[in-house]
Amino acid sequence: MNLHEHQAKALLAEYGVPIPRGKVAFSVDEAVAAASELGLPVVVKAQIHAGGRGKAGGVRLARTEDEVRAAADAILGATLVTKQTGPEGRLVRRLLVEEGVAIARELYVSFIIDRSTGRPMCIASAAGGMDIEEVAAETPEKILTVTVDPAMGMQPFQARRLAFGLGFEGQVFRNGTKFLTALYRAFEGLDASQVEINPMLVTAGGDVLALDAKVSVDDSALFRQPQVAALRDIHEESPFEVEASKHRLSYIKLDGSVGCMVNGAGLAMATMDIVKLAGASPANFLDVGGGASADQIENAFRILSSDPEVRLVLINIFGGILRCDRLARGLIDAVRKLGVTLPIVIRMEGTNVELARRMLEESGLDFTTADGMRDAAEQVVKRLAGQEAA
Amino acid sequence: MSVLVGNETRLVVQGITGREGAFHAEACRDYGTNLVAGVVPGKGGQTAVGVPVFDTVAEAVEKTGANVGFVLVPPPFCADAYAEAVDAGLDLVVSITEGVPTRDMVRVMRTVPPGGTRILGPNCPGVISPGKAKVGIMPGFIHKEGHVGVVSRSGTLTYEAVHQLSERGIGQSTCVGIGGDPVIGTQFVDVLELFAADDDTEAVILIGEIGGGAEEEAAEFIRRELRKPVVAFIAGQTAPPGRRMGHAGAIVMGGQGTAAGKMEALRSAGCTVVESPAEMGAAMEARLRG
Ligand SMILES: Nc1ncnc2c1ncn2[C@@H]1O[C@H](COP(=O)(O)OP(=O)(O)OP(=O)(O)O)[C@@H](O)[C@H]1O
Ligand SMILES: [Mg+2]
């Protein structure tokens, strides 16, 4: 789960990570009030779950009350198009109004779980404000990393090594090691999958602050992070995906026309791949879970048929121990109940598959049964071509 | 021989009195696995699925000689069950549980001493040596005894591969699901090492997916050490970057973990990389003939 910058900063502050003073605002008036409370100048920042806001005009310095009003007015309600939002952009519904700080240096620091060691890793670089991927590609020698033993936590010598590597001295060195240690504690305590501070700021006065904060929390840990779970902003998610998650379906919208319904994430990805290879284009990723229960199938149909781009549905269920005749009954019932008119190509494997095929064919509904994945993809392309001809 | 599980396996199911636990314990036993015990704290002394239930794994080991654990408990308790199996000194412990917090796995892996218990999963279908033993939730009947090792990050996609092999009369030595989470106990390379040393395994199917670098590490191992034919497929060639595709670990981040990169790494290591998931069986047939 992703968090807004203002939410992330508030959580980090609880672990002792220094942040600038700031307030969230949902209207222009609230932004102006926040600015007068904080004192000018302020920075007005769009709050969306996507990076690249600054370059897209979503981060503005305001020196006077009029400038605050103008900045808030321009950003709130605007659709920001950044390198991470896609061309459709993201509507800005809230702002962070923050005290303007005098910048001496901008640096980069993040924590992730390094998958090859299975341990937390800190990545730091003196090149703040830049994309870390760019730094890694162009000047990999500028990137510092430290792997943390989960039983020990971040150790003082590791924080010192990073602080020396970033060129910190004197008071800034002491503030820097404190900052890094607190940040690791937050990463651990919040069950974060990523905490990224870009830029980490050294002020003219020698303070070290998190000027920006991106925190993603492990979805599997939300059951024990109720404070984080309560921060979910469903406006930042696609309505289809929100609906799917209510039914414990794993769904991701894509831009093709073949609606896919599959059991298992790996097989679901593979099904998208084979659709694409056959020359068509998947409308979504959808995993209905190992069991593909009647209930899951009905909800899956409801979501797929509410996507106007979908012109055909491909079902690929590797049942194994699942009885295909039961699956077929569930499918027929769901299609009748919901009045689904889309053509359906179905490939299934499991016990009683012959009986299931007969049930589908005799149902009088628009089912095409396929034999294996390749045949399924070919049937999909054939049916789409038929639709175009008609 | 086969790897990980076989005729020598003595299985203890952790969580055997739960609905899932009882169902899968029975299915494993019916397949031919030597089920010897169950563990449920507070239910020691009872009997479930025809075997004695113990309060602790250590007791089950002491009384029954159990050497492999199968964990069927909800996500918040999975890491603790793994840790208990490690502490009891089992050879292998498998969990199919989906939704285990990553931090729990990070900590559990820290508890395994060098040469200690091998952890498989979580969020995986388990492991099966056809005709010998199954410790997992896969449908046993699609498998066939033989000499191809299968290793995969996915569940149903593994069944697909196995089905394509069995349909062609190609049997399997052992099929291992390593799981789709970012931090897992057993990696591709660990399983490839086992297959490399197993006389009964003549060739390998490797099924990867987007995210992380485990397939690249596997490619490096194959190039260096594996003198057996490998057919590989990578799921997620059409997945959009930055999105988690069902599995917590299936995500392309900052240009890392792409299907194209993994396919290229495996190809240059000498694997036959198929673009289509429908071609896994046929490609293996060709490699075995060729
Ligand atoms: N409170 C502040 N005081 C002074 N300058 C600021 C403040 N907040 C941000 N800035 C300046 O604006 C730049 C961009 O801010 P920030 O990193 O938060 O957004 P961004 O990186 O463009 O957006 P994103 O994180 O979405 O990619 C910073 O590098 C910094 O120079
Ligand atoms: Mg930034």
Side-chain angles (χ1 to χ4, degrees):
Chain A
M1 182 183 136
N2 293 325
L3 296 172
H4 283 298
E5 176 192 0
H6 73 93
Q7 298 168 331
K9 282 179 166 168
L11 290 170
L12 294 180
E14 287 182 25
Y15 286 87
V17 178
I19 56 167
R21 290 183 304 122
K23 291 202 78 167
V24 64
F26 292 87
S27 68
V28 175
D29 288 341
E30 275 177 34
V32 172
S36 75
E37 203 182 307
L38 294 165
L40 293 162
V42 295
V43 176
V44 178
K45 305 178 81 171
Q47 299 294 287
I48 53 171
H49 288 190
R53 298 164 302 167
K55 287 198 187 87
V59 178
R60 298 194 193 186
L61 179 69
R63 289 182 193 79
T64 65
E65 189 181 309
D66 283 345
E67 283 182 15
V68 174
R69 190 172 291 282
D73 195 48
I75 302 174
L76 256 189
T79 300
L80 271 196
V81 180
T82 82
K83 60 180 196 280
Q84 287 181 18
T85 59
E88 70 280 9
R90 199 64 72 76
L91 179 65
V92 182
R93 298 165 187 270
R94 55 176 93 180
L95 301 171
L96 172 61
V97 181
E98 214 171 56
E99 62 173 327
V101 273
I103 301 176
R105 282 183 73 193
E106 296 192 16
L107 307 101
Y108 172 97
V109 60
S110 68
F111 281 93
I112 56 162
I113 300 287
D114 174 32
R115 292 165 62 153
S116 73
T117 59
R119 293 186 172 195
M121 181 164 85
C122 180
I123 303 171
S125 149
M130 267 182 80
D131 245 15
I132 193 69
E133 281 97 23
E134 259 168 58
V135 180
E138 284 158 28
T139 47
E141 70 282 359
K142 289 205 178 131
I143 292 185
L144 309 168
T145 62
V146 156
T147 300
V148 179
D149 180 336
M152 302 290 288
M154 173 98 134
Q155 298 177 71
F157 82 87
Q158 295 183 306
R160 288 198 303 271
R161 184 191 295 168
L162 292 166
F164 281 123
L166 294 172
F168 289 169
E169 283 170 5
Q171 188 56 37
V172 176
F173 184 92
R174 281 185 290 281
N175 290 335
T177 53
K178 252 195 249 163
F179 183 102
L180 293 165
T181 308
L183 194 63
Y184 173 75
R185 258 189 280 142
F187 174 77
E188 217 215 345
L190 293 169
D191 269 301
S193 45
Q194 184 186 23
V195 168
E196 184 181 63
I197 309 299
N198 189 18
M200 164 168 71
L201 183 86
V202 178
T203 67
D207 291 326
V208 178
L209 295 179
L211 209 56
D212 190 5
K214 275 194 186 58
V215 172
S216 309
V217 175
D218 180 4
D219 290 319
S220 297
L222 288 177
F223 72 86
R224 65 184 178 204
Q225 298 286 352
Q227 190 194 3
V228 174
L231 298 176
R232 181 168 175 195
D233 179 358
I234 59 164
H235 294 302
E236 293 290 328
E237 301 170 35
S238 113
F240 289 126
E241 292 171 21
V242 172
E243 180 64 19
S245 73
K246 277 189 208 150
H247 303 293
R248 312 189 63 202
L249 296 168
S250 176
Y251 172 88
I252 291 169
K253 171 136 175 53
L254 305 170
D255 49 18
S257 59
V258 180
C260 298
M261 192 191 298
V262 188
N263 67 333
L267 191 62
M269 278 188 268
T271 303
M272 289 162 40
D273 293 344
I274 203 169
V275 164
K276 189 70 170 240
L277 274 174
S281 171
N284 62 280
F285 165 94
L286 174 58
D287 172 10
V288 296
S293 70
D295 198 43
Q296 299 280 77
I297 296 224
E298 187 183 320
N299 286 314
F301 263 122
R302 196 171 285 130
I303 288 157
L304 288 190
S305 27
S306 60
D307 176 355
E309 314 268 327
V310 171
R311 285 164 49 207
L312 179 149
V313 175
L314 168 61
I315 301 174
N316 185 13
I317 305 285
F318 202 108
I321 43 181
L322 192 84
R323 276 178 46 194
C324 286
D325 52 324
R326 258 196 223 149
L327 174 70
R329 171 93 343 254
L331 283 173
I332 293 166
D333 289 349
V335 169
R336 288 227 170 93
K337 183 168 163 196
L338 301 173
V340 177
T341 52
L342 293 162
I344 298 165
V345 174
I346 170 162
R347 180 282 175 124
M348 58 194 160
E349 207 57 68
T351 318
N352 292 348
V353 63
E354 286 312 318
L355 171 63
R357 283 184 166 219
R358 230 174 310 125
M359 288 166 67
L360 292 173
E361 269 150 30
E362 287 165 7
S363 69
L365 299 166
D366 191 356
F367 286 112
T368 307
T369 57
D371 194 10
M373 281 180 79
R374 183 187 333 178
D375 186 38
E378 280 164 10
Q379 298 287 353
V380 163
V381 173
K382 212 185 290 171
R383 290 298 305 256
L384 285 176
Q387 283 182 9
E388 236 136 66
Chain B
M1 283 300 290
S2 45
V3 307
L4 295 173
V5 296
N7 295 327
E8 68 291 350
T9 295
R10 297 176 66 79
L11 182 65
V12 51
V13 171
Q14 299 170 245
I16 197 168
T17 55
R19 199 167 56 94
E20 291 252 304
F23 179 82
H24 291 295
E26 197 168 332
C28 290
R29 189 198 55 201
D30 290 350
Y31 188 76
T33 313
N34 186 10
L35 175 69
V36 297
V39 167
V40 179
K43 296 200 175 168
Q46 299 183 10
T47 301
V49 198
V51 294
V53 178
F54 298 95
D55 285 324
T56 66
V57 179
E59 200 183 345
V61 170
E62 191 195 319
K63 303 267 169 62
T64 68
N67 55 15
V68 173
F70 188 8
V71 171
L72 287 145
V73 302
F77 315 111
C78 185
D80 187 45
Y82 267 145
E84 188 178 359
V86 171
D87 177 72
L90 296 182
D91 295 335
L92 169 71
V93 58
V94 180
S95 179
I96 59 154
T97 304
E98 182 175 356
V100 178
T102 304
R103 177 156 61 100
D104 290 4
M105 285 311 297
V106 169
R107 296 172 68 93
V108 163
M109 291 312 293
R110 180 66 174 67
T111 69
V112 184
T117 307
R118 186 186 294 279
I119 289 178
L120 184 62
N123 191 15
C124 76
V127 51
I128 183 169
S129 293
K132 300 190 181 103
K134 120 170 164 149
V135 178
I137 55 171
M138 63 287 280
F141 71 89
I142 62 171
H143 298 79
K144 183 175 154 59
E145 267 179 89
H147 306 286
V148 172
V150 178
V151 58
S152 167
R153 265 163 79 179
S154 137
T156 44
L157 184 55
T158 315
Y159 309 165
E160 175 71 36
V162 167
H163 175 72
Q164 289 177 22
L165 291 174
S166 296
E167 221 177 25
R168 289 175 165 73
I170 304 172
Q172 305 92 41
S173 52
T174 303
C175 306
V176 190
I178 60 173
D181 282 355
V183 176
I184 50 178
T186 298
Q187 307 268 5
F188 278 126
V189 170
D190 303 314
V191 180
L192 291 175
E193 274 172 2
L194 296 173
F195 283 149
D198 178 38
D199 290 340
D200 227 23
T201 301
E202 289 168 7
V204 175
I205 289 198
L206 182 148
I207 302 167
E209 61 189 37
I210 54 165
E215 290 79 2
E216 286 84 345
E217 287 165 20
E220 185 50 30
F221 175 83
I222 291 166
R223 196 183 55 70
R224 253 193 0 252
E225 297 188 31
L226 191 65
R227 299 287 160 263
K228 298 178 181 183
V230 180
V231 169
F233 172 73
I234 303 295
Q237 297 165 49
T238 47
R243 303 300 312 266
R244 250 171 247 287
M245 306 302 284
H247 285 157
I251 180 168
V252 173
M253 276 170 81
Q256 294 290 302
T258 63
K262 292 170 188 297
M263 291 164 77
E264 183 43 42
L266 289 160
R267 211 172 269 133
S268 64
C271 306
T272 300
V273 179
V274 294
E275 284 188 358
S276 161
E279 303 302 326
M280 295 183 283
M284 180 51 78
E285 194 171 31
R287 282 297 295 258
L288 290 175
R289 248 195 272 114

